[in-house]
Amino acid sequence: MPDLWTDRFLARLIGTDSGCWQWTGHIAANGYGQFWLDGRTQYAHRVAYTAVRGLIPAELELDHLCRNRACANPDHLEAVPHRTNVLRGVGFCAHKARQTHCIHGHAFTTANTYRDPANGTRKCRTCRAAARARSRHRRRGVHRAAA
């Protein structure tokens, strides 16, 4: 009898109260379930999504709406652009993108915000103006020796 990958795959899933299909097979260091299929290791959530929903468009990636990386339930996955996936997360970039005020309490408004051309991060114009004023004040206090 031929080895049906679906039988092997389904044997490694357990349903949870939250609706997740918890992967009980190998879990990679990054928290995603892995499954051997077609001669290579593949992510379990991608295998499940492809089997139920079809191919994942090349420009999109899967976002775990349940925030459980070991979940393989296609209903908990959404194909989205990389930026959307990152901004929905809880990492550093997502945290910074959700900030509404600078560390000194000034609102990030259109008028008070500029993008640093070096790295694209948001900067507060009010804080930048204050820093430049402090710098000018320090420079005025320094006397240069005559050449």
Side-chain angles (χ1 to χ4, degrees):
M1 180 170 179
D3 175 38
L4 294 177
W5 72 266
T6 53
D7 292 339
R8 288 188 301 116
F9 188 84
L10 294 173
R12 290 173 176 80
L13 293 173
I14 293 177
T16 66
D17 292 340
S18 65
C20 288
W21 296 357
Q22 191 67 28
W23 184 252
T24 62
H26 181 261
I27 304 289
N30 60 10
Y32 292 100
Q34 292 185 316
F35 182 68
W36 184 261
L37 181 63
D38 295 334
R40 64 186 180 98
T41 302
Q42 299 184 40
Y43 285 125
H45 66 286
R46 293 178 62 88
V47 171
Y49 186 91
T50 302
V52 174
R53 303 261 190 264
L55 292 176
I56 303 162
E59 69 278 3
L60 301 180
E61 57 190 48
L62 295 180
D63 180 19
H64 280 87
L65 302 175
C66 59
R67 293 286 159 251
N68 176 2
R69 291 181 176 183
C71 175
N73 184 346
D75 291 338
H76 290 194
L77 301 169
E78 183 180 4
V80 296
H82 178 70
R83 178 176 172 77
T84 301
N85 194 9
V86 169
L87 294 179
R88 285 180 177 175
V90 295
F92 180 78
C93 292
H95 171 72
K96 286 294 190 183
R98 284 191 286 272
Q99 276 186 317
T100 58
H101 291 73
C102 76
I103 61 171
H104 298 289
H106 306 117
F108 280 130
T109 63
T110 304
N112 192 42
T113 306
Y114 77 97
R115 293 271 178 190
D116 187 330
N119 59 17
T121 57
R122 293 182 298 171
K123 304 287 184 182
C124 172
R125 290 183 189 276
T126 303
C127 291
R128 185 177 188 212
R132 284 183 171 175
R134 286 190 305 272
S135 178
R136 279 192 304 276
H137 180 40
R138 283 191 304 267
R139 281 196 307 264
R140 269 189 244 135
V142 176
H143 298 286
R144 295 185 187 179

